[in-house]
Amino acid sequence: EVQLQASGGGLVQAGGSLRLSCAAPGFTVDDYAVGWFRQAPGKEREGVSCISSSVGTTYYADSVKGRFTISSDNAKNTVYLQMDNLKPEDTAVYYCAAEPLGSWCPPNGMDYWGKGTQVTVSS
């Protein structure tokens, strides 16, 4: 089993920035599609972003386009989500998930998940 660990969340003011990290021991990011998902209180889980290094594609939800950037560091086997110009509606628990040899991040098809990290944006 692969257990992913999301980290980097916290409490910030609207307009601020955070960088989330997703990593696991022995995790090779080029072998997976890695996605970020979030779930706010009382709402359904939603896909935020996805990266497939093997295919060379990225995806962003419309709500975060232009504000969030997903990237991978092969040397550190880590995927990042840079979040800029945060808004109160970004408040949620953020999770990362991985799909072996995946070309995208299907919401109900990711094989590996980890504990989430809380992001809270105040106004």
Side-chain angles (χ1 to χ4, degrees):
E1 294 288 330
V2 175
Q3 291 195 51
L4 303 176
Q5 179 64 56
S7 61
L11 173 64
V12 298
Q13 293 285 330
S17 298
L18 287 171
R19 187 179 71 165
L20 306 184
S21 299
C22 176
F27 183 56
T28 303
V29 295
D30 283 345
D31 293 337
Y32 301 84
V34 178
W36 287 96
F37 300 81
R38 67 186 182 187
Q39 187 165 23
K43 297 183 178 180
E44 297 291 326
R45 185 182 66 197
E46 63 175 337
V48 176
S49 187
C50 179
I51 185 168
S52 176
S53 296
S54 61
V55 177
T57 59
T58 58
Y59 161 84
Y60 299 95
D62 288 342
S63 59
V64 306
K65 286 181 179 178
R67 300 189 297 118
F68 291 9
T69 304
I70 191 169
S71 64
S72 62
D73 186 328
N74 293 333
K76 296 182 178 180
N77 290 321
T78 301
V79 171
Y80 302 97
L81 185 68
Q82 178 68 42
M83 305 186 296
D84 296 321
N85 192 24
L86 284 161
K87 303 176 180 180
E89 52 263 44
D90 294 318
T91 296
V93 177
Y94 284 71
Y95 304 86
C96 65
E99 175 72 10
L101 304 178
S103 59
W104 73 297
C105 302
N108 300 309
M110 307 299 286
D111 284 354
Y112 303 110
W113 293 81
K115 298 291 185 181
T117 185
Q118 177 71 50
V119 172
T120 302
V121 184
S122 64
S123 60

